[in-house]
Amino acid sequence: DVKVTQSSRYLVKRTGEKVFLECVQDMDHENMFWYRQDPGLGLRLIYFSYDVKMKEKGDIPEGYSVSREKKERFSLILESASTNQTSMYLCASSYNLGGGRTDTQYFGPGTRLTVL
Amino acid sequence: RKEVEQDPGPFNVPEGATVAFNCTYSNSASQSFFWYRQDCRKEPKLLMSVYSSGNEDGRFTAQLNRASQYISLLIRDSKLSDSATYLCVVNLGNDMRFGAGTRLTVKP
């Protein structure tokens, strides 16, 4: 059974703090993703990674950075948290099927971040 | 225009009803298609993939119309436990595009 874990379920931070969200998957997936989910907007892709040390910007990368030093771990960093980054953050992973195709994504339980 | 569009609902139906959701996508190069289910305060989970020929899994039937660029999900004999948000997902190469979801509530 695929398992994707995230470091925290709930997090409360203050404006200007640096925030680290960690994601670990145990299925040796090549691809990992960070999304945020807000009411009425659905899931929006922040960053994704095809492989160790590789990263690609998604639709809304501003204010975020990522790190993938090991295949199983993908970290999302908010350098200076702001109130508009209050959201549900979801990590996902998937196999890379080659030919530019990705397999279905498996999600972690999410981290609900509140920035005060 | 959004890449993946869904009617947000909510759909409120009685137990035993048949309900259908549609989803449209804008990129004709999309390669694969899925329906995910998301329960309140939980992560999305794969419900079923959608194949060109249409596919069925118990009470759930998914259809794909590439010419019109839409995907549908039909739920027959609705159960209370079907209450959730249903996300339409379209694969564009190495990343996926999610619809905002359609909320379903099945009532006794």
Side-chain angles (χ1 to χ4, degrees), chain A residues 59-70:
Chain A
D59 299 317
I60 50 164
E62 297 77 20
Y64 304 94
S65 62
V66 290
S67 171
R68 190 149 181 221
E69 296 296 317
K70 293 186 178 180

Side-chain angles (χ1 to χ4, degrees), chain B residues 75-88:
Chain B
I75 306 175
R76 289 182 299 279
D77 188 24
S78 300
K79 311 289 184 195
L80 296 176
S81 56
D82 293 335
S83 297
T85 296
Y86 291 83
L87 306 176
C88 173

Side-chain angles (χ1 to χ4, degrees), chain A residues 92-103:
Chain A
S93 70
S94 70
Y95 284 119
N96 188 338
L97 298 175
R101 295 177 304 123
T102 186
D103 197 10

Side-chain angles (χ1 to χ4, degrees), chain A:
Chain A
D1 223 16
V2 175
K3 193 147 187 199
V4 182
T5 57
Q6 293 183 228
S7 48
S8 308
R9 291 301 302 271
Y10 299 94
L11 210 51
V12 180
K13 295 291 182 181
R14 295 202 177 275
T15 301
E17 281 193 81
K18 191 168 185 174
V19 182
F20 291 89
L21 302 182
E22 299 259 296
C23 175
V24 178
Q25 50 93 4
D26 66 357
M27 281 300 292
D28 203 34
H29 285 165
E30 295 86 2
N31 301 330
M32 295 188 76
F33 307 82
W34 274 107
Y35 296 89
R36 62 178 283 176
Q37 186 175 31
D38 301 288
L41 296 177
L43 277 83
R44 292 182 291 166
L45 182 64
I46 305 171
Y47 268 96
F48 61 104
S49 169
Y50 302 130
D51 203 349
V52 178
K53 296 197 187 292
M54 296 192 69
K55 58 186 179 185
E56 295 282 343
K57 291 181 180 180
D59 299 317
I60 50 164
E62 297 77 20
Y64 304 94
S65 62
V66 290
S67 171
R68 190 149 181 221
E69 296 296 317
K70 293 186 178 180
K71 191 173 185 180
E72 68 270 18
R73 189 179 297 268
F74 192 34
S75 303
L76 180 70
I77 303 144
L78 288 67
E79 293 290 341
S80 177
S82 62
T83 54
N84 63 11
Q85 292 179 309
T86 291
S87 186
M88 169 69 90
Y89 289 88
L90 288 157
C91 174
S93 70
S94 70
Y95 284 119
N96 188 338
L97 298 175
R101 295 177 304 123
T102 186
D103 197 10
T104 187
Q105 293 184 5
Y106 296 88
F107 284 84
T111 296
R112 190 167 290 279
L113 172 67
T114 301
V115 182
L116 302 174

Side-chain angles (χ1 to χ4, degrees), chain B residues 59-98:
Chain B
R59 298 181 293 108
F60 298 84
T61 301
Q63 297 274 357
L64 167 63
N65 185 321
R66 282 192 185 269
S68 301
Q69 293 181 207
Y70 81 78
I71 307 146
S72 64
L73 177 68
L74 182 78
I75 306 175
R76 289 182 299 279
D77 188 24
S78 300
K79 311 289 184 195
L80 296 176
S81 56
D82 293 335
S83 297
T85 296
Y86 291 83
L87 306 176
C88 173
V89 184
V90 173
N91 186 338
L92 290 171
N94 267 318
D95 70 279
M96 291 191 171
R97 299 293 172 179
F98 289 78

